[in-house]
Amino acid sequence: MKGAKVVSERPHASISTLHKQWVKLEDQHHRLAIAIDEARSAGTDLAPMLQRQIELLLEITSIVAEIRDAPATTTEEFMALLDVALEHELDLACDIAYYGPGDYPMTARLLRALAGVVPGFEFNSLRRWLSLPGQFEQLMGAKTPTTPIRDESGAIGFGEP
């Protein structure tokens, strides 16, 4: 196949590294899907765009398989695993986008608490799906402050400190 890349020969990478690659590819795919919709409306030849979409989906599928099988040991790696699962196993991100963040108060509480554990971590699947103004902020905002707490064993619990 012309232009095909073999992505399975990549050396074993951490889930965090693979997650960053997945985020870039998913963002590219999202932008391309929007461009395809616009091009379809304009009557543009879609063949090159559709070919690129196929290539992106193959790369995404490969990385998701690597993430699924990679060992997770850190909190960030488990959060990256959750982010990918939200997109590829649960369809939860699109459900939250469709029904609205207000219909998922416990999930919102959990995701807010987890996002607070690893500074700078963003649930890409949620950011991409919750694209209407204020949706992502409503889900991830701190309406009800919930602080992740570590007990003596290092386990994380949720609640007021």
Side-chain angles (χ1 to χ4, degrees), residues 19 22-23 25-31 33 57 60-61 64 67 79-97 111 122-131 136:
H19 181 256
W22 173 81
V23 166
L25 292 171
E26 285 286 359
D27 286 348
Q28 286 177 25
H29 182 257
H30 180 71
R31 288 190 303 274
L57 290 171
I60 289 167
T61 300
V64 169
I67 290 171
M79 289 173 56
L81 246 156
L82 176 60
D83 191 23
V84 175
L86 290 172
E87 181 80 18
H88 291 276
E89 289 186 353
L90 303 173
D91 289 332
L92 183 59
C94 68
D95 286 347
I96 294 171
L111 293 170
E122 181 175 82
F123 286 101
N124 183 267
S125 58
L126 296 169
R127 180 189 47 78
R128 196 173 39 264
W129 276 97
L130 302 173
S131 58
F136 183 76

Side-chain angles (χ1 to χ4, degrees), residues 45-59:
D45 176 24
L46 300 177
M49 296 171 88
L50 294 173
Q51 181 59 41
R52 177 63 184 138
Q53 186 177 44
I54 290 167
E55 292 167 3
L56 277 172
L57 290 171
L58 288 172
E59 287 181 71

